[in-house]
């Protein structure tokens, strides 16, 4: 999908491409200061078979219930709807893409003067690009990769080494290194994760033991042989913070401060007191069951430049 927004004389969304784009239209909500963005389908692009990177793709998605296949083309003569979507963030834009692919007409109502939500970015007074939210892409973001491939911006992701870097105070840099080889043979999940957590200098030995106790009694273990069943258990933890869940299973405060708060900030700009156990354990489940789910990708530029197709 491609979107152009014209609000108070300012056209946002980057340079105009050759393909048709969406233009603000008038309407009751627009007159109240909420622009209406007409979403139109972009030209068909070549399919991308392995959209998530080197060796992980939609075929590797561990949970069909979370990563469904793309819906089939609409049947001939199927009714067409005109759909209003409130909010031009990633959820609204991706919903519009799916509806457009089904032949429906879509209007997006966005209260801000730009679209993208937490995928957007802006320049501050010094010319620095400030990101609204999403800034790293884990290898388990299959639905997002599929959307980026459809928009033709997947090549703007840069694959990083399979290690997470923690920058502590006073220039103290530690790693959580998932790279695990035996005689040039790559060792995958879950063993690469066990190696990473037991060898990281980011945690003291006592905290590693506490982590083992907490995660060893979590639904992540069930995910190794029953991913869908484990996901049902994890969904039931949406109303408890990760801090409360983790400490109730023997986890330590030092582990939260040194390891899990930074990861929670990377996921949602929330600390472990405010992010749900469901969110964190969902990611842990992917890390434990798919070797490259924990590989990070970064954008080759600011979101405003690297994901204009969204």
């Amino acid at each position: 999908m491609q979107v152009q927004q014209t609000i108070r004389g300012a056209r946002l969304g980057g340079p105009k491409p050759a393909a048709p784009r969406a233009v603000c239209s008038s309407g009751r909500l627009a007159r109240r200061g909420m622009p209406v963005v007409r979403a139109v389908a972009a030209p068909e692009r070549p399919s991308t078979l392995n959209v998530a990177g080197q060796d992980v793709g939609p075929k590797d998605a561990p949970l069909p219930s979370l990563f469904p296949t793309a819906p089939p083309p609409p049947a001939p003569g199927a009714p067409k709807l005109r759909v209003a979507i409130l909010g031009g963030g990633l959820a609204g834009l991706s919903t519009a893409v799916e509806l457009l692919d089904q032949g429906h007409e879509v209007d997006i109502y966005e209260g801000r003067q730009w679209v993208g939500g937490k995928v957007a970015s802006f320049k501050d007074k010094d010319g620095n690009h400030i990101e609204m939210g999403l800034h790293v892409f884990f290898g388990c973001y299959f639905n997002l990769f599929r959307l980026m491939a459809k928009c033709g911006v997947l090549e703007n992701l840069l694959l990083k080494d399979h290690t997470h870097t923690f920058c502590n105070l006073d220039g103290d840099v530690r790693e959580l290194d998932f790279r695990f080889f035996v005689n040039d043979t790559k060792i995958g999940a879950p063993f690469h994760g066990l190696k990473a957590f037991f060898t990281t200098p980011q945690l003291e030995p006592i905290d590693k033991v506490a982590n083992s106790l907490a995660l060893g009694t979590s639904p992540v273990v069930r995910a190794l042989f029953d991913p869908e069943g484990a996901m049902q258990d994890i969904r039931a933890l949406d109303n408890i913070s990760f801090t409360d869940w983790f400490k109730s299973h023997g986890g330590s405060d030092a582990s939260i401060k040194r390891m899990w708060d930074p990861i929670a900030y990377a996921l949602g700009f929330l600390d472990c007191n405010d992010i749900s156990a469901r969110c964190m354990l969902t990611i842990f489940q992917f890390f434990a069951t798919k070797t490259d789910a924990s590989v990070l990708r970064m954008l080759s530029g600011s979101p405003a430049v690297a994901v204009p197709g969204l």
Side-chain angles (χ1 to χ4, degrees):
M1 183 185 69
Q2 298 173 328
V3 174
Q4 171 183 309
Q5 211 172 16
T6 306
I7 305 171
R8 298 175 187 167
R11 186 169 67 196
L12 308 179
K16 183 178 179 181
R21 306 182 78 189
V23 183
C24 267
S25 59
S26 61
R28 183 176 62 182
L29 292 179
R31 288 195 296 272
R32 293 181 180 179
M34 180 177 287
V36 186
V37 181
R38 175 62 51 80
V40 295
E44 288 294 326
R45 300 181 184 274
S47 63
T48 304
L49 297 179
N50 192 3
V51 300
Q54 254 182 341
D55 55 1
V56 65
K59 63 180 178 59
D60 301 307
L63 295 174
S65 62
L66 286 182
F67 304 107
T69 57
K80 305 301 180 185
L81 304 177
R82 183 173 183 182
V83 181
I85 296 176
L86 301 183
L90 185 58
L93 294 175
S94 59
T95 300
V97 168
E98 299 291 348
L99 290 169
L100 288 168
D101 285 347
Q102 295 297 304
H104 303 298
E105 186 177 342
V106 180
D107 288 332
I108 301 174
Y109 294 80
E110 171 56 58
R112 293 173 173 171
Q113 296 193 19
W114 65 85
V115 295
K118 284 193 173 183
V119 188
S121 65
F122 64 93
K123 283 187 178 181
D124 65 11
K125 63 181 181 180
D126 298 319
N128 300 308
H129 290 274
I130 307 300
E131 298 176 356
M132 299 292 292
L134 181 67
H135 62 290
V136 296
F137 300 75
F138 283 105
C140 51
Y141 290 177
F142 298 104
N143 287 329
L144 179 57
F145 296 146
R146 187 177 73 184
L147 176 62
M148 294 182 71
K150 186 176 294 187
C151 295
V153 294
L154 192 71
E155 62 272 15
N156 293 336
L157 288 179
L158 303 177
L159 190 68
K160 311 298 289 185
D161 287 336
H162 200 173
T163 182
H164 299 175
T165 302
F166 294 82
C167 299
N168 304 297
L169 294 176
D170 300 322
D172 178 26
V173 178
R174 308 291 179 95
E175 285 192 311
L176 179 66
D177 193 343
F178 290 86
R179 294 170 294 189
F180 189 14
F181 292 87
V182 175
N183 296 327
D184 295 327
T185 299
K186 182 178 180 179
I187 307 300
F191 304 106
H192 75 319
L194 294 173
K195 173 263 181 187
F197 282 101
F198 279 114
T199 61
T200 180
Q202 182 68 6
L203 295 177
E204 296 296 330
I206 187 63
D207 298 313
K208 294 177 184 179
V209 172
N211 269 299
S212 300
L213 177 62
L215 297 181
T217 56
S218 76
V220 173
V221 175
R222 182 179 179 182
L224 297 175
F225 57 88
D226 181 14
E228 292 286 2
M231 194 64 233
Q232 292 180 7
D233 295 339
I234 290 172
R235 289 190 180 105
L237 299 174
D238 201 28
N239 293 324
I240 182 173
S241 71
F242 181 74
T243 294
D244 289 342
W245 177 89
F246 185 69
K247 293 178 69 174
S248 72
H249 283 250
S252 65
D253 286 319
S255 295
I256 290 176
K257 181 179 179 180
R258 297 275 296 180
M259 178 72 67
W260 304 125
D261 268 348
I263 290 179
Y265 285 128
L267 290 174
F269 283 83
L270 299 170
D271 61 24
C272 290
N273 291 327
D274 295 318
I275 200 168
S276 77
R278 173 181 176 174
C279 179
M280 294 289 279
L281 290 174
T282 297
I283 291 293
F284 296 166
Q285 172 170 344
F286 299 153
F287 287 5
T289 56
K290 284 296 173 182
T291 300
D292 292 286
S294 49
V295 178
L296 291 174
R297 291 152 181 81
M298 308 289 283
L299 284 174
S300 59
S302 72
V305 174
V307 289
L310 298 180

